[in-house]
Amino acid sequence: MDAHKVPPPSAVGQIAELLDSPEIAVLVRDLEGTRWTGRPGYPLRSMVGMALAKSMYAIPTWTKTVALVREHAGLRTAVVGSLSSDVPSVFACYRFTAKLRAYSDMLTGCIDRVTAGLSVQLPEYGRNVAIDGSDMPAYANGQRFVSKNGRERKRFSDPDASWGHRSAVSTRKGGGFYGYKVHAVVCVVTGLPVAWTVETASEAETNFALPLIDAARERGFAVDVAIADKGYDNGPFHDGCMDRNVLPVTPLRETPAVKRGDHKPPTCEHGTWTFAGADFKRRATKWRCPTGACQPKSRWIKGDRLHPLIPRETDRSRKLYSSRGAVEREFGRLKHEWALLPLRVRGLDRVRLHADLTILAKLACALARARAVPLAA
Ligand SMILES: [Zn+2]
């Protein structure tokens, strides 16, 4: 065996390790402090262990999670402490998620601790980020009619879900879908989420980009560059990024101004002017006459959507934009390897909690791995 490689950790070993990590242990302690009155219930460490097992084994439902933990001796020991201890019931798992929704600040605090721990291990985490939204079809039917030519649906099983649009990916066609969208800021170097929110599907993606950058900053991330697709190429996004000292990178959307050629570099009788640097404080880029024969030889152009501070014709802009795929890949991993989908809960609050728990499990595992492999390795 290659001595430099750390063997892949078993999920069972990892759950035990995560439950003992300071970041998760504080969550257990915080929740214990709110111990509800009435029947004593299962230890909160076991309940958090159930939630971790659900995400790490990518199980959509609590029913299947409870069944697996009951049958799997190693997992059972890791989650509830010993083979002779009771495995929480499905009902207890539902009560636990209700408690987490009621004390969402404690869960947020836990996510903040995990991302802060990751920042120490991975200094590049959260500097260059990509922003995008992705579909999360609801656990409900959004058809207007109960059946073909049938009566109109009066009651929707998930009233918070709505119709939205998704773009095509690889073999799947784009089109309408009913449900929610997860909007996320993902680090393009580490591939890890930095900040995210879940909203009903009909809400426009561009509304959440700037608040998510603010959320990432509040979490302590630098956020130097924000990369997004053409859908985010609008004035408010570019200006909002610059207001926050973030450099936006987007492709150019074909608008009337672009058709007029307003985005093009200045020209003179000597040819097209060349980019000669940006002044971030001044929010402007400098352009120079190709021969230097013009007077003045150079001039400043105010930064905006048409003239970003990292000009689109530069290699730097192209290279940054090519890293945008990190956000798509992370959505794919979260959905397919961590059971972000299929949704088996209804209502915005529950879907949000599901996303938070899924991403927390993923980040906590990344933190454990980063700590196991020292920076120098
Ligand atoms: Zn000239």
Side-chain angles (χ1 to χ4, degrees), residues 267-271 273 288-297:
T267 54
C268 65
E269 52 186 308
H270 312 107
W273 288 33
R288 208 174 266 143
C289 162
T291 62
C294 280
Q295 242 357 290
K297 289 189 187 63

Side-chain angles (χ1 to χ4, degrees), residues 36-47:
W36 36 31
T37 52
R39 83 203 101 161
Y42 297 92
L44 281 156
R45 187 179 186 280
S46 305
M47 300 313 307

Side-chain angles (χ1 to χ4, degrees), residues 310-322:
I310 306 176
R312 292 189 177 89
E313 40 277 279
T314 60
D315 281 345
R316 188 184 174 201
S317 178
R318 274 189 282 269
K319 223 175 137 188
L320 282 166
Y321 191 70
S322 72

